[in-house]
Amino acid sequence: MSKPVYDLEHHAKMAYGIGDPQCFKGKAGKPKFKEGDRVRIKDLPDIFYTRTMTYTRGAEGVVTRLVYESPAAEDEAFGNEDTPEWFYSVKFMQKDLWPEYSETYSNDALETEFPEHYLEAV
Amino acid sequence: MSDHEHNHGHVHKPAPMVEEVSDFEILEAAVRELAIEKGLFSAEDHRVWTEYVHTLGPLPAARLVAKAWLDPEYKKLCEEDGVEASKAVGVDWVTSPPTQFGTPSDYCNLRVLVDTPKLKHVVVCTLCSCYPRPILGQSPEWYRTPNYRRRLVRWPRQVLAEFGLQLPEDVEVRVADSNQKTRYIVMPERPEGTDGWTEDQLAEIVTRDCLIGVAVPKPGVTSNAQRPVRKAINPVHHDH
């Protein structure tokens, strides 16, 4: 299947007066995960570009919020805007990210976002 | 009189017009000129954009926090829909920028992270230096340094301590890493000693550092902490 070719103003025209990520609202279908779900971050191969940090790959966390719909940055970077997906805010306990994190502060956490295809149910 | 007949015995070289141009400044100019040449935007667009960027600062965000401290309903709106709440302080994430579709790289998804007595948020961007510019202005130099970005996620308490903020063990420190299209500001706890204060008075103590989360508001403190400036090891010398 060939990919549509857009002119340079495609994104601007789509988002004009609406905003980004608002312009992708309603285009991702049914979300696979919900608030409170426990998820693991997949360590997917990425060629040239990713916004999924190495330190989160393989780690388990909890979905705190469904934030918006958007193409994944990994796709959008190459003009592939036709498959928006849900984005999730995921909270990790710091000790699940850094094995040496101080036990004294075991409540400390970190929150960041992922497109759906990086998440798997635990 | 010729150049080498000075009465103090050495030749003056003209001082350089620009002392240093970083690789990034050269890169920016090259990309900008190329984009104009290719018709992505015009020089006029660029000027309008630059002028817009220079109008931005942290005042609207400080005002948002002060309003929320005084109005529980508005505080709830901030927590649920930061973009909608921003309108009350004059910031429309979509239509304020000249593009009419938001700010490239800032997007239009503000999240207000509300602190509680047992929860303290702090914001970073480990990938680059994403920052809620439409409501907070340009990011401070230190926010963009690899040092802050790579250490805050891993040793948040140590980094906060360097900013002069030490938090008790039972307070959860929660780092927000703005890696996608959400931009964050922190709504700190309203400090003791501000009973009966007006919105203006409250807004004054909500500094940029408080909004990033590396400081907490205190009555009497209305400016950001001074960062130590270290002397260059190899400073640039002029021979005149």
Side-chain angles (χ1 to χ4, degrees), chain A residues 3-116:
Chain A
K3 167 184 146 184
V5 177
Y6 296 119
D7 66 61
L8 291 175
E9 293 187 352
H10 168 74
H11 181 266
K13 281 188 261 190
M14 189 171 57
Y16 192 89
I18 303 166
D20 178 352
Q22 291 87 330
C23 58
F24 298 107
K25 204 176 161 83
K27 296 184 177 177
K30 199 169 165 297
K32 205 167 138 187
F33 301 98
K34 61 185 187 306
E35 206 174 300
D37 283 358
R38 202 164 166 76
V39 291
R40 187 181 303 109
I41 312 305
K42 295 181 194 169
D43 187 7
L44 297 172
D46 48 72
I47 300 178
F48 307 126
Y49 188 68
T50 183
R51 297 188 72 86
T52 302
M53 297 77 77
T54 306
Y55 74 83
T56 61
R57 290 168 181 249
E60 287 181 23
V62 174
V63 172
T64 59
R65 192 188 273 222
L66 278 64
V67 277
Y68 47 78
E69 296 156 271
S70 165
E74 290 79 354
D75 292 333
E76 209 173 22
F78 299 97
N80 301 321
E81 296 192 349
D82 297 326
T83 49
E85 46 191 291
W86 275 99
F87 274 63
Y88 301 85
S89 199
V90 177
K91 180 183 117 168
F92 303 90
M93 300 316 289
Q94 285 281 31
K95 55 183 191 300
D96 292 338
L97 295 173
W98 319 107
E100 75 282 16
Y101 203 84
S102 168
E103 278 303 318
T104 311
Y105 306 115
S106 55
N107 282 335
D108 287 3
L110 180 141
E111 192 167 338
T112 188
E113 295 178 346
F114 301 91
E116 190 170 88

Side-chain angles (χ1 to χ4, degrees), chain B residues 145-186:
Chain B
T145 57
N147 185 326
Y148 176 79
R149 288 158 39 204
R150 68 169 63 124
R151 289 198 305 132
L152 187 82
V153 284
R154 194 164 184 164
W155 297 288
R157 287 182 183 260
Q158 290 84 336
V159 174
L160 290 176
E162 290 166 21
F163 278 94
L165 182 60
Q166 291 181 323
L167 297 154
E169 286 171 33
D170 63 341
V171 172
E172 175 196 332
V173 172
R174 192 181 302 183
V175 177
D177 187 353
S178 32
N179 67 329
Q180 303 278 2
K181 292 186 178 179
T182 296
R183 300 293 169 261
Y184 302 101
I185 58 172
V186 175

Side-chain angles (χ1 to χ4, degrees), chain B:
Chain B
M1 180 172 105
S2 78
D3 261 356
H4 34 253
E5 285 173 358
H6 274 310
N7 53 10
H8 50 273
H10 69 263
V11 179
H12 272 293
K13 274 190 230 145
M17 296 280 284
V18 180
E19 296 208 346
E20 276 181 42
V21 182
S22 73
D23 291 354
F24 292 108
E25 287 170 296
I26 294 169
L27 186 61
E28 184 277 326
V31 172
R32 166 165 40 95
E33 287 171 15
L34 201 56
I36 291 169
E37 204 177 299
K38 296 276 180 201
L40 287 177
F41 52 79
S42 65
E44 170 73 1
D45 292 336
H46 188 269
R47 184 183 60 76
V48 168
W49 184 263
T50 308
E51 286 172 2
Y52 161 73
V53 164
H54 282 285
T55 65
L56 302 174
L59 297 177
R63 174 81 42 192
L64 176 142
V65 169
K67 268 186 191 301
W69 281 348
L70 294 167
D71 177 355
E73 277 301 302
Y74 182 67
K75 184 173 179 174
K76 216 163 130 253
L77 177 68
C78 290
E79 204 156 7
E80 283 161 11
D81 190 342
V83 172
E84 194 55 37
S86 300
K87 291 176 184 170
V89 292
V91 175
D92 184 323
W93 282 70
V94 177
T95 60
S96 296
T99 57
Q100 300 296 300
F101 58 82
T103 313
S105 88
D106 298 333
Y107 302 101
C108 315
N109 200 59
L110 176 70
R111 239 185 105 181
V112 181
L113 304 167
V114 179
D115 285 351
T116 70
K118 291 280 170 247
L119 173 62
K120 176 84 201 92
H121 291 92
V122 56
V123 180
V124 65
C125 171
T126 50
L127 296 169
C128 42
S129 53
C130 296
Y131 192 75
R133 286 178 291 190
I135 201 165
L136 214 48
Q138 297 301 302
S139 56
E141 188 75 31
W142 54 259
Y143 183 87
R144 291 173 256 173
T145 57
N147 185 326
Y148 176 79
R149 288 158 39 204
R150 68 169 63 124
R151 289 198 305 132
L152 187 82
V153 284
R154 194 164 184 164
W155 297 288
R157 287 182 183 260
Q158 290 84 336
V159 174
L160 290 176
E162 290 166 21
F163 278 94
L165 182 60
Q166 291 181 323
L167 297 154
E169 286 171 33
D170 63 341
V171 172
E172 175 196 332
V173 172
R174 192 181 302 183
V175 177
D177 187 353
S178 32
N179 67 329
Q180 303 278 2
K181 292 186 178 179
T182 296
R183 300 293 169 261
Y184 302 101
I185 58 172
V186 175
M187 181 187 294
E189 282 273 274
R190 181 173 173 176
E192 297 289 312
T194 56
D195 288 347
W197 282 27
T198 64
E199 191 182 294
D200 286 1
Q201 287 173 299
L202 291 169
E204 270 194 341
I205 61 168
V206 186
T207 61
R208 179 206 65 204
D209 285 2
C210 298
L211 293 156
I212 298 172
V214 295
V216 292
K218 289 187 185 72
V221 179
T222 56
S223 60
N224 298 306
Q226 286 296 308
R227 308 280 160 238
V229 176
R230 309 199 190 288
K231 278 200 165 350
I233 298 169
N234 301 307
V236 177
H237 282 297
H238 297 306
D239 50 1
H240 57 81

